Amino acid sequence: MTASASGLDPQISPAAAQYQVARVARMRHVRVEQVQALVATFTEGRQLGLLGEPQVNVLRLNLALDGLQAR
């Protein structure tokens, strides 16, 4: 997954992550379902349940994807 256009943001929107799922699965040689499950796992909700928008933690997601490939 990529962070953002600037490369500085540690999080991206769930929609941006879903847009990249098939490409990431293909490049990392894992199943699309595995990547989708990890995106869901590392999607963080709104702060206090109402502030901001849900975000995907890109660092944690990439570390988990690295762990899939190590198996």
Side-chain angles (χ1 to χ4, degrees):
M1 295 285 161
T2 60
S4 70
S6 67
L8 300 175
D9 299 330
Q11 297 156 332
I12 59 174
S13 71
Q18 287 297 327
Y19 180 78
Q20 300 177 65
V21 164
R23 180 184 58 83
V24 169
R26 186 175 58 253
M27 297 302 291
R28 288 185 176 257
H29 307 290
V30 297
R31 292 189 338 262
V32 168
E33 295 80 13
Q34 289 176 294
V35 179
Q36 288 173 327
L38 288 174
V39 168
T41 297
F42 295 109
T43 298
E44 302 168 350
R46 299 171 189 262
Q47 294 178 354
L48 303 175
L50 54 110
L51 299 175
E53 294 297 323
Q55 300 280 324
V56 177
N57 186 311
V58 175
L59 175 60
R60 292 179 65 202
L61 176 58
N62 279 326
L63 290 172
L65 288 166
D66 291 344
L68 283 179
Q69 288 185 284
R71 294 180 191 178

